[in-house]
Amino acid sequence: MYVAVTNGTISFVGFLGGGGYTITLTDENKENGEIKYSYCHSDPNFIVIVGEKVKKGQIIGKVGPKNVYGVPGNKYFDSNGNPTNGATTGPHLHFGMRINNEYVNPLNYLRKNN
């Protein structure tokens, strides 16, 4: 399971190409511009919905499976020909951070134990 890194609003849940099943959290603190956090390769059984307000530390999702079936337009497959949860070779969380739609290194912004 993984948690919200900040207070915010869930702005996307769904399949997002190479990111597979993805949850996007938009920060409500606009002093630094729009900040979005993406949690990719998530479990498709989402526990949050678009528009939901979440609190920092709240559980918002689980790491998804490697293989997912029945996803229209999924162009990602493993070496056995089974459809995968985006561009992945196994279950993991791919965490991304964007400020004003530009990807940044989250380690430069998120402090340990914060």
Side-chain angles (χ1 to χ4, degrees), residues 18-90:
Y21 282 104
T22 299
I23 296 170
T24 302
L25 169 62
T26 300
D27 192 338
E28 294 179 341
N29 180 355
K30 303 282 189 195
E31 67 188 43
N32 295 320
E34 184 175 70
I35 302 175
K36 292 188 176 192
Y37 305 92
S38 295
Y39 301 79
C40 301
H41 312 296
S42 294
D43 186 309
N45 299 303
F46 297 113
I47 61 175
V48 292
I49 60 171
V50 172
E52 183 174 345
K53 304 280 186 191
V54 297
K55 298 286 185 190
K56 180 179 177 181
Q58 178 179 334
I59 295 171
I60 61 170
K62 299 180 286 186
V63 173
K66 172 185 174 184
N67 299 108
V68 294
Y69 298 89
V71 180
N74 184 4
K75 62 181 182 176
Y76 298 95
F77 296 87
D78 65 16
S79 60
N80 296 319
N82 296 310
T84 58
N85 191 356
T88 183
T89 57

Side-chain angles (χ1 to χ4, degrees), residues 38 96-99 101-105:
S38 295
M97 180 178 175
R98 291 174 286 160
I99 299 177
N101 220 25
E102 296 284 331
Y103 277 99
V104 297
N105 183 346

